[in-house]
Amino acid sequence: MKLPINSLKEFGLENLDFEKVLDIVSTKIGSVEGYSELSKAYEGVVIAEIVAKEIHPNADKLGVYKIS
């Protein structure tokens, strides 16, 4: 089973260090076979939401988007 560390915030474990979280998971749920840290792979990635779309004034197949 894959368990994102961010999902542990629901259980109040967000302030613990990573080793302590691994210990809690292995004692309460089952042994941890391995883990991957993906934060470095996605460093610099920004998530945005499109809040408005307009038709491009000079092209039929393009759009102008406003993001936040």
Side-chain angles (χ1 to χ4, degrees):
M1 167 183 20
K2 293 184 179 184
L3 178 67
I5 295 296
N6 288 338
S7 67
L8 297 176
K9 291 179 181 179
E10 297 174 20
F11 304 105
L13 300 176
E14 72 270 9
N15 294 327
L16 299 176
D17 65 341
F18 189 68
E19 297 297 324
K20 184 66 176 170
V21 171
L22 285 177
D23 183 51
I24 291 171
V25 169
S26 62
T27 56
K28 303 288 184 187
I29 298 174
S31 66
V32 177
E33 294 179 9
Y35 62 90
S36 301
E37 184 170 343
L38 300 175
S39 61
K40 292 178 183 161
Y42 295 103
E43 191 172 24
V45 174
V46 177
I47 298 173
E49 178 182 8
I50 298 173
V51 294
K53 177 193 175 203
E54 297 177 10
I55 297 173
H56 193 283
N58 299 327
D60 293 335
K61 296 183 179 182
L62 296 178
V64 178
Y65 298 89
K66 182 178 180 181
I67 59 173
S68 68

